[in-house]
């Protein structure tokens, strides 16, 4: 169980637990009137987006049945239960139009897999590769919408390449490093449908920018 300021996330049924990646993405991603969370897992990012955007309708989708059940329970116990809808569905089949899309996606392409099949599904791209993710996000996003993801540093280029292929343009980029002076280990990336000047920043876990980003959530 993970307690935040305005809601609690239970995670015992989920293959992927609450982590810094999801918290940073949920605190940083742009929202809108309709928001889609792809691979919602515990429902963490959907809950964070609902907290940040008080008028938004949020849809969270996941293919893992146990995670969907857990996310529904977390949402039902939250102040935002009327505005968040959790569905068991692959994004490849999802239909709709959204002002903002967020995803903490499976990202390992060729890495050694663990014995846990559900954890593999959540972490590896077998069920949702970058090309499929970008293509579907581009299809579901409004013309002025923004698609936001978080990826490890060594997968950033591949994610950006697939985005370019479908017609996305990089917009906001934040490198996240764990130690001052060291290279970024994670990247928060956002994409839009029209050319725009890129906004690039680097933050360090625990610094003032990091604290400001997460202050509405961490106890």
């Amino acid at each position: 169980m993970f307690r935040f300021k305005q809601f609690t996330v239970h995670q015992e049924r989920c293959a992927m637990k609450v982590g810094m990646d999801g918290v940073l993405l949920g605190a940083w991603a742009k929202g809108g009137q309709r928001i889609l969370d792809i691979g919602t897992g515990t429902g963490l990012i959907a809950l964070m987006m609902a907290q940040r955007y008080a008028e938004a309708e949020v849809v969270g989708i996941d293919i893992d049945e146990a995670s969907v059940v857990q996310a529904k329970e977390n949402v039902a116990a939250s102040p935002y239960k009327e505005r968040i809808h959790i569905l068991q569905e692959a994004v490849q089949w999802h239909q709709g139009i959204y002002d903002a899309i967020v995803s903490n996606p499976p990202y390992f392409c060729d890495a050694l897999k663990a014995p846990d099949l559900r954890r593999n599904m959540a972490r590896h791209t077998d069920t949702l590769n970058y090309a499929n993710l970008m293509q579907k996000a581009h299809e579901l996003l409004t013309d002025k919408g923004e698609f936001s993801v978080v990826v490890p540093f060594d997968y950033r280029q591949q994610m950006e390449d697939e985005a370019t292929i479908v017609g996305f343009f990089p917009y906001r980029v934040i490198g996240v490093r764990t130690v001052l002076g060291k290279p970024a280990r994670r990247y928060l990336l956002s994409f839009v449908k029209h050319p725009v000047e890129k906004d690039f920043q680097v933050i360090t876990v625990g610094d003032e920018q990091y604290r400001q980003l997460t202050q509405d959530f961490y106890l």
Side-chain angles (χ1 to χ4, degrees):
M1 184 173 66
F2 206 108
R3 294 187 184 277
F4 293 89
K5 286 184 176 179
Q6 296 191 23
F7 57 85
T8 298
V9 174
H10 293 269
Q11 55 184 0
E12 61 274 6
R13 299 179 188 171
C14 296
M16 291 301 294
K17 310 302 184 185
V18 171
M20 183 177 64
D21 286 2
V23 173
L24 285 172
L25 182 62
W28 174 81
K30 288 286 180 66
Q33 286 294 112
R34 283 179 52 79
I35 302 170
L36 176 66
D37 175 22
I38 299 172
T40 195
T42 62
L44 168 66
I45 295 173
L47 287 161
M48 294 180 74
M49 297 302 284
Q51 177 180 325
R52 292 175 58 212
Y53 293 92
E55 301 301 318
E57 176 189 359
V58 183
V59 176
I61 61 174
D62 204 296
I63 60 174
D64 182 62
E65 182 178 5
S67 294
V68 167
V69 171
Q70 185 107 76
K72 286 183 176 180
E73 292 174 351
N74 288 332
V75 167
S78 79
Y80 325 114
K81 59 186 178 182
E82 302 299 327
R83 297 189 290 112
I84 303 176
H85 311 281
I86 304 296
L87 307 174
Q88 184 179 355
E89 186 177 18
V91 69
Q92 291 92 331
W93 306 110
H94 189 69
Q95 299 295 320
I97 295 294
Y98 296 91
D99 305 298
I101 301 175
V102 295
S103 182
N104 181 4
Y107 47 76
F108 290 133
C109 300
D110 302 307
L112 183 66
K113 295 183 178 179
D116 188 329
L117 294 179
R118 291 179 61 230
R119 186 170 173 83
N120 284 337
M121 184 170 64
R123 289 167 60 85
H124 293 261
T125 60
D126 295 5
T127 56
L128 180 62
N129 61 39
Y130 294 167
N132 293 154
L133 177 63
M134 285 296 170
Q135 183 176 15
K136 194 63 182 181
H138 195 275
E139 175 188 323
L140 296 173
L141 195 65
T142 61
D143 188 60
K144 295 183 178 180
E146 190 168 329
F147 174 43
S148 303
V149 297
V150 56
V151 294
F153 74 99
D154 46 350
Y155 289 92
R156 174 189 172 187
Q157 189 60 57
Q158 186 174 349
M159 184 69 82
E160 290 183 341
D161 288 346
E162 295 295 348
T164 299
I165 289 171
V166 302
F168 271 134
F169 296 86
Y171 178 25
R172 299 185 301 136
V173 179
I174 289 189
V176 183
R177 58 193 176 196
T178 54
V179 180
L180 186 65
K182 295 290 186 180
R185 305 301 297 177
R186 287 289 188 274
Y187 280 95
L188 300 168
L189 310 173
S190 82
F191 302 94
V192 293
K193 291 187 174 183
H194 301 283
V196 66
E197 184 176 353
K198 186 185 291 187
D199 177 14
F200 182 86
Q201 302 178 49
V202 177
I203 65 173
T204 304
V205 174
D207 71 7
E208 183 59 26
Q209 288 175 289
Y210 178 90
R211 289 193 294 271
Q212 287 183 2
L213 190 60
T214 58
Q215 65 183 353
D216 291 338
F217 300 98
Y218 283 141
L219 292 170

